[in-house]
Amino acid sequence: MSELDGPEALASDSLGLVRGIGDSVAAFDEARAAAEAVELIYPPSEISDVALCGMGGSAIAADLVLGAYRERIRRPMSVVRDYFLPGWIGERTLVVLSSYSGGTEETLTATSQAIDRNALTVAITSGGKLGTHYPVEEGVPVVPVAPGFQPRAALLRMLIPVVVILGRLEVLPPVGDDLDEARQTIAAAIATLGPDVPESENPAKQLARSLQGTVPLIWGSELTTPIAVRWKGQFNENAKIPAYASALPELDHNEICGFAGMPSELGSRAALLMLREPRQHRQVQRRFDLTRELVEPHVAKVASITADGTGALAKVLDLVLLGDYVSLYLALLNGVDPGPVEMIERLKGRLAETGYGRAPAPSS
Ligand code: PA5
């Protein structure tokens, strides 16, 4: 029996992240209901553009939504991972303030600027300063999120409200059918990839095993570009290994050259994971194939992974769940506790030794 299958398999998962994915459908329903219930006072016709401010696990939710809806979104939208808001954000910008903890300093600094600019703000948070101080003082509508999770394990709790809010404010077309299909896809993925499915029948456990001792290089394109970034982050935070994400077609214009000079000790550890989906542009499909031919001699292994599902949101969440499970199983195989993120906590602790204050006035 595989060490990923026995009763002891999850012993090193101190925060229960693997079992936690099993609650995703309930999390999905809770998040959808909370976002549908929040009062939104902004008329859709007022909104000229959209910014989502957040970092890490709270920002990738918006990238994934943008990936899923990139062809159907009706307003320009950017994800801001910064202390400063870009100059174009103003009174007609819908600013979604996304911080699971509600205490992330970049997001809080951006929040104070959004409020100063009278932007149309909505917060998604489990509490912290974002959940109490700003809304109470400034009347910011808040989508409440259940506390007690690691931000990256609360992805659906942060992502579903983004979809619902953008749908309600007509930035996206009606999202009801997409959400229903995505919910089914999530349930199916858990049934196929969850910890009770033995490795012999479980593609996530098999992929994790094949990645032991490697540095994953994850490539996406179009809808799968942000999924590659999510996979990278999950390998970093859950398995505590280096991993890198890139996107086609851009990487064909620069990164591809670096493989020619890949030191053999690095190449013998590199595992290239190509995240594909059948609707990608015909030239993108060719690029995946042709670039693979050129790069394969310089890396240890290449795997091509294709999204399941009909709708874009379902495809995105299908691949996200696969990456989440793979990174967690890899942690277990490596004897690593996937839960705690000590490096992030240490850094945040050091930064908290001094205050960060409100944003300084922008330089002219
Ligand atoms: O996964 C993590 O813990 C981080 O990437 C956090 O999401 C990031 O530091 C931002 O914190 P928060 O999501 O609480 O705003």
Side-chain angles (χ1 to χ4, degrees):
M1 184 168 63
S2 149
E3 68 272 41
L4 288 176
D5 294 342
E8 289 303 304
L10 306 182
S12 61
D13 180 12
S14 68
L15 302 182
L17 298 190
V18 179
R19 286 269 174 233
I21 299 181
D23 299 331
S24 292
V25 173
F28 184 106
D29 291 342
E30 221 178 272
R32 184 174 183 175
E36 283 171 351
V38 76
E39 192 186 353
L40 296 175
I41 45 180
Y42 313 128
S45 59
E46 284 291 300
I47 298 168
S48 60
D49 37 44
V50 184
L52 184 137
C53 301
M55 300 300 299
S58 295
I60 192 69
D63 289 324
L64 293 164
V65 172
L66 264 179
Y69 285 97
R70 72 200 187 291
E71 291 165 296
R72 296 194 288 151
I73 193 162
R74 294 166 171 168
R75 300 276 186 282
M77 173 168 161
S78 295
V79 181
V80 178
R81 291 173 162 89
D82 209 338
Y83 289 92
F84 288 106
L85 293 186
W88 54 265
I89 291 178
E91 291 185 358
R92 297 192 57 199
T93 307
L94 174 67
V95 178
V96 182
L97 303 156
S98 173
S99 170
Y100 179 73
S101 64
T104 297
E105 63 179 47
E106 297 92 322
T107 314
L108 291 175
T109 310
T111 299
S112 69
Q113 293 170 61
I115 289 168
D116 287 348
R117 293 188 201 179
N118 288 323
L120 311 170
T121 47
V122 181
I124 305 170
T125 185
S126 72
K129 202 169 171 188
L130 182 58
T132 52
H133 176 82
Y134 285 110
V136 170
E137 289 199 346
E138 314 285 351
V140 177
V142 181
V143 180
V145 180
F149 298 96
Q150 286 284 317
R152 65 192 185 283
L155 179 77
L156 289 174
R157 297 177 188 275
M158 302 302 286
L159 182 149
I160 299 304
V162 176
V163 176
V164 171
I165 286 168
L166 296 185
R168 286 180 59 193
L169 293 175
E170 298 174 18
V171 173
L172 299 179
V175 296
D177 290 347
D178 300 344
L179 288 168
D180 293 343
E181 190 206 353
R183 185 180 187 278
Q184 280 177 15
T185 302
I186 291 166
I190 294 166
T192 316
L193 309 172
D196 299 327
V197 181
E199 185 173 339
S200 56
E201 298 161 26
N202 189 321
K205 290 181 179 178
Q206 291 165 10
L207 183 55
R209 187 173 297 282
S210 78
L211 294 176
Q212 266 195 293
T214 68
V215 175
L217 311 177
I218 310 132
W219 290 0
S221 188
E222 302 167 6
L223 162 156
T224 66
T225 297
I227 307 173
V229 178
R230 168 73 177 181
W231 279 47
K232 170 209 170 305
Q234 293 295 77
F235 282 124
N236 298 149
E237 292 189 57
N238 290 337
K240 279 82 176 172
I241 59 168
Y244 300 91
S246 291
L248 285 162
E250 175 66 18
L251 73 87
D252 276 349
H253 298 270
N254 34 61
E255 188 172 321
I256 186 176
C257 301
F259 284 87
M262 174 81 87
S264 57
E265 59 275 23
L266 282 185
S268 64
R269 294 297 192 110
L272 178 57
L273 305 177
M274 302 190 305
L275 305 184
R276 305 183 63 165
E277 73 100 1
R279 283 196 62 240
Q280 278 159 336
H281 191 288
R282 185 173 153 272
Q283 285 300 86
V284 166
Q285 307 281 10
R286 294 189 64 223
R287 282 177 184 275
F288 268 117
D289 294 337
L290 296 172
T291 313
R292 175 182 184 150
E293 269 178 41
L294 291 168
V295 164
E296 200 155 13
H298 304 283
V299 297
K301 64 183 70 182
V302 182
S304 183
I305 298 145
T306 304
D308 245 1
T310 313
L313 184 64
K315 284 180 191 167
V316 166
L317 294 180
D318 177 63
L319 278 187
V320 163
L321 255 73
L322 175 61
D324 286 4
Y325 273 123
V326 171
S327 64
L328 290 166
Y329 293 140
L330 184 56
L332 301 180
L333 284 171
N334 290 345
V336 167
D337 182 352
V341 281
E342 197 207 335
M343 295 288 250
I344 296 177
E345 297 308 331
R346 274 170 54 192
L347 185 72
K348 285 186 176 178
R350 290 297 303 278
L351 283 165
E353 288 167 9
T354 55
Y356 58 89
R358 276 170 76 90
S363 51
S364 51

